[in-house]
Amino acid sequence: MSGRLAAAFGGHRLALVSAALLVSITLAVAAAPLLAAILGVDPDEVNLLARFQGPSLAHPLGTDELGRDVALRLLYGGRVSLAVGLAAAVLAAAFGTAVGLVAGYRGGLVDAALMRLTDGVIALPLLPLLIVLAAIDPAKLPGLGWLVAGEDASLYRIVAIVVLVGWTTIARLVRGAALSLRGRDYVLAAESYGASALRIMVVHILPGVTTPIIVATTLAVGNVILFESVLSFLGLGIQPPTPSWGNMLTNAQELIYDAPALVIWPGAAIFLTVIACNFLGDGLQDALDPRARRD
Amino acid sequence: MIRVIAGRSLESLVVLLLMSLVIYALIGLMPGDPIDLMVQGDPRLTPADAARLKALYGLDRPLLERYGNWLLAALGGEFGYSRLHNQPALAVILPRLGNTCWLMGASFLLSLAIALPIGVWSALRARTGADYAVNLAALAGISLPTFWLALMLITLFAVQLQWLPAGGLQTIGVESVADRARHLVLPVVCLAVTHAGAYTRFMRAAMVEVLRLDFVRAARAKGLSETRVLFAHALPNALAPTVTVVALSFGALFSGALVTETMFAQLGMGKLVYDSIMGNDYNVALVALLLATALTLAANLAADVLYAWLDPRVTFAGRTP
Amino acid sequence: MNAPAPLIEGRGLTRRYPLRSAGLFGARIGVVPAVTDVSISVSPGETLALVGESGSGKSTLGRLLGRLEPADSGRLWYDGAPAPKRDRRLRRDVQYVFQDPDGSLSPRLTAGAIIAEPLAVLGLSDGRARAVRVAELLAAVGLEPAHAGRYPHEFSGGQRQRIAIARALAPAPRVIIADEPVSALDVSVQGQVLNLMADLKARHGHAYLLITHDLAVVDAIADRVAVMYFGRLVEMGPRDALFTRPAHPYTRALLDAVPRIGAGKRQPRRQARSEPPSPLAPPAGCAYHPRCPFADAICRREVPALTPMASGTPGHVRACHHAGRWPEGLGSGSLAGAAP
């Protein structure tokens, strides 16, 4: 009996809690500049006299190795990590959707070629590849100069890199769905009065594949945040002084002895955000697609 | 069957060949080039010398030509020299491969030892509190950033408790299996924890799927004991898809190994890939990346073959729907 | 044939489907002939019924004529000239109604959007005018203008088929190809939809190519009937002539198979001898010979051509080696009952 009760609680309650958590995190990081203004603290301000301070009223989570406020940097880092996660996941979803629609609707050789490509990318060891991509010098690529210019350069780069390898899951999902929908009579009907391939894909097939896209994108946000954090941690992602949850940990390994607390907070923020994305994705899957219920 | 395996192997080889071109091109896009580095290291070299050297090494040739030359040399077993180690690239890589195999193999077995029983147990209690607890734990494992878990493990077990070493392959000057093993404990646990979650979910999903099928109900209706139904009928059928997905996730395991090795200063392939890219050691980076790709492709191929072998209903022809 | 200038005409249309083993690059293991060398035409304003059992190729022929799929050989003529490969006029003038309105209406579009889409695609009207046209069309098929905002699942099967008909009607086509338009509907609704189709034709003057296996439907609205068997036309002619004097044994068998309520004294049924032949191993000669009570050597050898009847109604043709030689009166007593 108690098992059933727990089950009823377990099902969607966790997804709801996750959604609430994600909304809170988003609101908190969005409010970061406001908080900084109210507290009169500059998150980038170095104060070598106030290094490694413990929690206090002025610095709720203490200060880091340069005397910066950890709580505020955490919020600013969250802005970057969340923005990168969301932007890369959505762009990758868009690209993967386009590939999947074309492959599934066109079929034949186009499908075979695109799916071989997808299989190929899926088969690759992702992180080493991401590291290479992050290490390349965009200045050597014609037309990509804008990627190196500007202070947000590392941000755009990481989004571009993740999109480049992150579209495959959705491409496969959408391709499968499109393949089953393209034989439907309503697609045939649209073809009969000469609707263009683009129109058929967007108007008639896309609405039928939104559920897997939403679920997969939610899960992807978590994954991207993980990849961003590890790349930034390794010094290849978001470049300091712009804080991200990943690069806040870059120096942490040496600081383990002096300030173990500095290691805990950014990692916990990543962990909480990613697990919330995963639970929300799971819950959405259950709610939106009754056939794929976890039972 | 043999013909199909041969066909798939050929396909994998083609992918590998394509990837070698892509990786070659990407490495060429990394900042600086070998001659620039030489010029930096030796102030006596003039720009004219640099240009001559570039011509000598063919670095002024078009990409495809350079790639072709590299490929010909590589097929002859010539992979170039390591800039950082002053050794042939292969001589640098091969010993590392062994270390990585230990780490990955041990973590893989450990995560399966955790995931398979728990996955089955959880499937038998589908939609109960226990099942949700398992799912929570599994998702937590998936959501843990590997490098952060490594930091936490080091902080707790190496710094605070001082039970285990924080990194390295062995204590310098000590040659013993026990010492090597002690150094492997934290990396193996770290890598296993971050992968066991996904494996548990695969196992659970496959088992739930099988338990729903008619033949399991028929076996129960025949009056077979629950243990027999489980181990003789349901489990073998659930293992086939699980093994496949697990083999397909080899690439993820390698990515995890890269981070783990870097965190725990394990001299393995993953750390080598990272170090060589960061250190502009082009030849080593190229070969190490290709080797990682080849291993991943081989794992995928093995997944296909295993699946067909474990599940006699599957014909290879029907593999791609 | 009977009308001077056919609207659409297929000449020698042939369509085969390759049969592949499972898998992406499955080996080609055979060819299924769906339509073989069929010449047929639809004249302005007429209703031509295409009948045959399932698998006879009637739906494929409809798709070839509606250019939903390409013919392997043969030509399509439109309005007295060979039809070009991509022709907006044809897209507009030939519209399609599918069997199952559940599958032929996009589930995530409103009825209004569904009906408006051909107008948008063909660039026929825009903005306000299109909304007016949609309301007009909804009214024409017996629905309310307010229904435009609803989704297909909010309608009954009959109403959904009305929406599909409104969509086909939207660009004011000259011919509507309707593939089993009522067979997925409740019997009680079938008559209403057929009446609607007849009314619309009376008002708009378009032609129908009606693909059906249901002779009662043919009886209700067809002017001419074409009978298909195993990918070929076996008989074609004006409805009454064909119903009262069927000139092909297969047509007879079809008419015989119609159950009739209250037919006092029943004629003994001439049952078809066997199942239709396997499409992978088509019989040589006349495809009907394994089932035909009159088959002999020539039937097993040669494919009969469509020829006019010596003493028949103009436009009545059939493909049978023995037409006229088998007893003409056979079974006509019961067949007469099938005609009005």
Side-chain angles (χ1 to χ4, degrees):
Chain A
M1 198 60 213
S2 69
R4 281 198 154 277
L5 200 67
F9 252 78
H12 294 294
R13 198 54 67 95
L14 272 172
L16 286 178
V17 171
S18 301
L21 184 66
L22 286 176
V23 169
S24 324
I25 294 175
T26 310
L27 287 179
V29 304
L34 198 67
L35 278 172
I38 291 172
L39 297 173
V41 185
D42 181 349
D44 292 329
E45 190 185 77
V46 174
N47 181 357
L48 294 179
L49 293 176
R51 301 169 65 202
F52 300 128
Q53 282 187 357
S56 66
L57 217 56
H59 304 291
L61 296 179
T63 59
D64 67 3
E65 72 274 18
L66 296 176
R68 298 171 296 194
D69 182 75
V70 171
L72 213 51
R73 281 188 68 77
L74 211 52
L75 291 182
Y76 270 93
R79 288 166 80 85
V80 173
S81 292
L82 282 186
V84 167
L86 206 61
V90 168
L91 286 176
F95 185 64
T97 302
V99 170
L101 279 177
V102 170
Y105 176 62
R106 281 286 177 208
L109 270 181
V110 178
D111 179 37
L114 284 175
M115 283 305 111
R116 289 293 95 171
L117 178 70
T118 311
D119 285 348
V121 175
I122 287 177
L124 298 174
L126 266 192
L127 192 57
L129 205 67
L130 285 173
I131 290 177
V132 179
L133 285 170
I136 64 171
D137 180 2
K140 285 195 178 184
L141 277 174
L144 285 180
W146 57 274
L147 271 180
V148 268
E151 57 181 270
D152 291 337
S154 62
L155 227 141
Y156 295 137
R157 267 185 76 158
I158 192 123
V159 170
I161 290 167
V162 172
V163 170
L164 212 55
V165 294
W167 52 273
T168 52
T169 312
I170 286 185
R172 286 193 136 252
L173 284 171
V174 170
R175 180 253 183 191
L179 202 61
S180 78
L181 292 182
R182 75 162 174 173
R184 297 282 168 91
D185 280 349
Y186 60 80
V187 172
L188 221 54
E191 283 169 353
S192 81
Y193 45 72
S196 65
L198 181 66
R199 185 182 184 98
I200 289 173
M201 287 190 279
V202 173
V203 175
H204 295 282
I205 295 182
L206 189 57
V209 298
T210 42
T211 298
I213 293 177
I214 290 173
V215 171
T217 308
T218 310
L219 296 172
V221 172
N223 255 327
V224 174
I225 290 177
L226 274 183
F227 273 121
E228 180 273 319
S229 70
V230 71
L231 283 178
S232 298
F233 172 77
L234 293 173
L236 289 158
I238 307 298
Q239 300 299 324
T242 305
S244 89
W245 288 338
N247 73 21
M248 285 175 74
L249 285 165
T250 306
N251 293 327
Q253 197 156 11
E254 286 94 65
L255 300 172
I256 284 178
Y257 299 89
D258 302 317
L262 289 184
V263 182
I264 295 177
W265 296 116
I270 298 169
F271 176 59
L272 275 180
T273 310
V274 174
I275 201 173
C277 286
N278 282 334
F279 267 116
L280 188 60
D282 244 26
L284 282 175
Q285 172 99 51
D286 275 4
L288 294 176
D289 187 2
R291 279 162 306 164
R293 279 190 107 85
R294 274 176 40 91
D295 61 351
Chain B
M1 173 94 173
I2 303 241
R3 239 185 61 212
V4 182
I5 293 176
R8 287 276 294 125
S9 310
L10 199 70
E11 215 177 275
S12 303
L13 274 181
V14 172
V15 174
L16 187 62
L17 199 67
L18 278 175
M19 277 314 293
S20 71
L21 174 58
V22 172
I23 293 174
Y24 189 90
L26 286 177
I27 299 269
L29 287 171
M30 283 177 15
D33 65 44
I35 305 302
D36 290 344
L37 288 167
M38 271 171 80
V39 173
Q40 272 171 26
D42 187 346
R44 283 169 302 169
L45 290 174
T46 64
D49 291 331
R52 243 196 335 276
L53 276 170
K54 281 190 187 187
L56 179 67
Y57 287 109
L59 286 172
D60 54 346
R61 316 299 304 169
L63 173 70
L64 273 179
E65 192 183 324
R66 277 184 287 142
Y67 170 72
N69 290 336
W70 172 84
L71 187 65
L72 280 179
L75 289 177
E78 189 53 58
F79 291 98
Y81 250 69
S82 160
R83 197 181 74 85
L84 294 178
H85 302 267
N86 284 320
Q87 276 181 28
L90 269 190
V92 177
I93 291 167
L94 290 179
R96 305 289 192 105
L97 192 58
N99 293 337
T100 294
C101 285
W102 278 109
L103 171 63
M104 285 180 69
S107 320
F108 184 64
L109 291 180
L110 178 60
S111 47
L112 284 185
I114 300 170
L116 298 190
I118 295 184
V120 171
W121 185 79
S122 170
L124 292 174
R125 283 158 191 76
R127 291 202 163 268
T128 64
D131 182 35
Y132 283 108
V134 167
N135 189 40
L136 179 72
L139 275 180
I142 293 170
S143 309
L144 266 177
T146 311
F147 66 97
W148 185 62
L149 177 64
L151 283 174
M152 302 310 275
L153 289 175
I154 293 172
T155 310
L156 186 61
F157 291 102
V159 177
Q160 305 287 335
L161 299 172
Q162 307 213 338
W163 288 354
L164 291 161
L169 281 177
Q170 59 198 73
T171 313
I172 296 168
V174 180
E175 275 297 342
S176 82
V177 175
D179 182 60
R180 286 285 309 256
R182 261 168 53 81
H183 281 82
L184 263 178
V185 172
L186 285 184
V188 165
V189 168
C190 178
L191 190 54
V193 165
T194 45
H195 283 83
Y199 298 168
T200 305
R201 278 166 61 91
F202 296 153
M203 184 71 236
R204 178 195 175 279
M207 196 65 187
V208 165
E209 199 66 33
V210 168
L211 286 175
R212 250 200 302 235
L213 296 179
D214 284 340
F215 78 92
V216 172
R217 278 194 273 166
R220 281 193 179 132
K222 263 195 312 199
L224 294 183
S225 75
E226 197 58 24
T227 327
R228 208 174 143 66
V229 169
L230 195 59
F231 287 100
H233 293 266
L235 194 56
N237 285 284
L239 273 176
T242 309
V243 165
T244 311
V245 196
V246 165
L248 279 176
S249 64
F250 180 90
L253 192 65
F254 188 86
S255 296
L258 189 153
V259 177
T260 311
E261 286 171 3
T262 309
M263 298 305 298
F264 291 99
Q266 296 271 312
L267 299 179
M269 283 280 292
K271 185 164 166 50
L272 186 67
V273 167
Y274 176 67
D275 289 344
S276 58
I277 291 170
M278 298 309 279
N280 289 324
D281 197 349
Y282 306 104
N283 287 332
V284 173
L286 188 54
V287 180
L289 271 169
L290 268 180
L291 201 57
T293 309
L295 287 175
T296 313
L297 289 173
N300 292 346
L301 185 61
D304 279 359
V305 176
L306 267 177
Y307 190 57
W309 181 62
L310 287 172
D311 190 344
R313 285 168 310 173
V314 177
T315 59
F316 256 103
R319 198 180 61 90
T320 317
Chain C
M1 295 190 194
N2 51 354
L7 196 56
I8 46 175
E9 183 181 6
R11 297 187 179 176
L13 295 178
T14 297
R15 175 76 171 147
R16 302 179 200 89
Y17 293 117
L19 200 66
R20 292 177 189 282
S21 59
L24 190 55
F25 297 112
R28 203 163 144 147
I29 51 180
V31 172
V32 180
V35 170
T36 310
D37 192 20
V38 170
S39 295
I40 191 169
S41 66
V42 182
S43 302
E46 77 164 335
T47 298
L48 171 61
L50 195 54
V51 301
E53 55 201 353
S54 56
S56 62
K58 56 187 193 301
S59 286
T60 305
L61 182 57
R63 285 165 184 237
L64 294 180
L65 289 170
R67 299 216 306 185
L68 286 184
E69 54 184 274
D72 293 321
S73 65
R75 287 290 331 233
L76 207 61
W77 284 56
Y78 179 67
D79 227 4
K85 216 165 165 7
R86 293 184 75 84
D87 184 26
R88 199 179 143 272
R89 203 171 48 125
L90 238 165
R91 295 275 184 223
R92 173 190 168 153
D93 287 353
V94 182
Q95 292 300 317
Y96 225 90
V97 174
F98 294 84
Q99 171 173 8
D100 183 3
D102 283 355
S104 71
L105 306 178
S106 279
R108 311 283 178 107
L109 295 185
T110 61
I114 288 169
I115 297 170
E117 200 188 26
L119 299 172
V121 167
L122 293 160
L124 290 177
S125 64
D126 50 333
R128 185 97 192 90
R130 195 178 295 160
V132 172
R133 177 90 178 116
V134 168
E136 229 173 74
L137 287 161
L138 279 169
V141 296
L143 295 171
E144 307 284 326
H147 285 145
R150 294 198 195 161
Y151 289 90
H153 69 263
E154 298 174 72
F155 294 97
S156 70
Q159 286 176 318
R160 281 198 283 256
Q161 198 58 302
R162 286 168 190 267
I163 295 169
I165 292 171
R167 172 178 62 187
L169 214 54
R174 295 177 70 190
V175 55
I176 292 177
I177 300 176
D179 190 349
E180 303 276 12
V182 297
S183 59
L185 306 179
D186 287 347
V187 179
S188 56
V189 184
Q190 289 186 353
Q192 296 170 17
V193 171
L194 283 176
N195 285 340
L196 171 69
M197 287 176 66
D199 287 352
L200 290 172
K201 182 183 137 174
R203 252 186 287 160
H204 299 279
H206 53 258
Y208 283 119
L209 175 64
L210 182 70
I211 299 160
T212 180
H213 68 279
D214 185 348
L215 293 181
V217 170
V218 177
D219 198 18
I221 65 172
D223 300 319
R224 274 200 309 142
V225 183
V227 182
M228 279 190 87
Y229 183 76
F230 209 69
R232 290 178 190 272
L233 280 184
V234 295
E235 183 166 2
M236 180 159 60
R239 178 194 61 187
D240 292 347
L242 192 128
F243 272 24
T244 50
R245 290 183 302 281
H248 193 283
Y250 175 64
T251 314
R252 287 204 166 196
L254 269 187
L255 291 169
D256 268 358
V258 177
R260 274 175 298 276
I261 297 167
K265 210 176 102 201
R266 277 195 208 163
Q267 292 279 331
R269 293 277 174 82
R270 279 182 303 279
Q271 290 292 333
R273 279 192 189 168
S274 63
E275 286 297 300
S278 157
L280 276 173
C286 175
Y288 191 59
H289 81 251
R291 299 168 85 181
C292 182
F294 311 104
D296 61 12
I298 186 168
C299 301
R300 284 184 274 274
R301 212 169 50 237
E302 277 173 41
V303 180
L306 271 180
T307 46
M309 308 241 294
S311 61
T313 319
H316 191 174
V317 294
R318 80 293 188 234
C320 178
H321 291 299
H322 299 296
R325 280 199 275 141
W326 37 274
E328 282 286 342
L330 199 67
S332 59
S334 72
L335 290 169

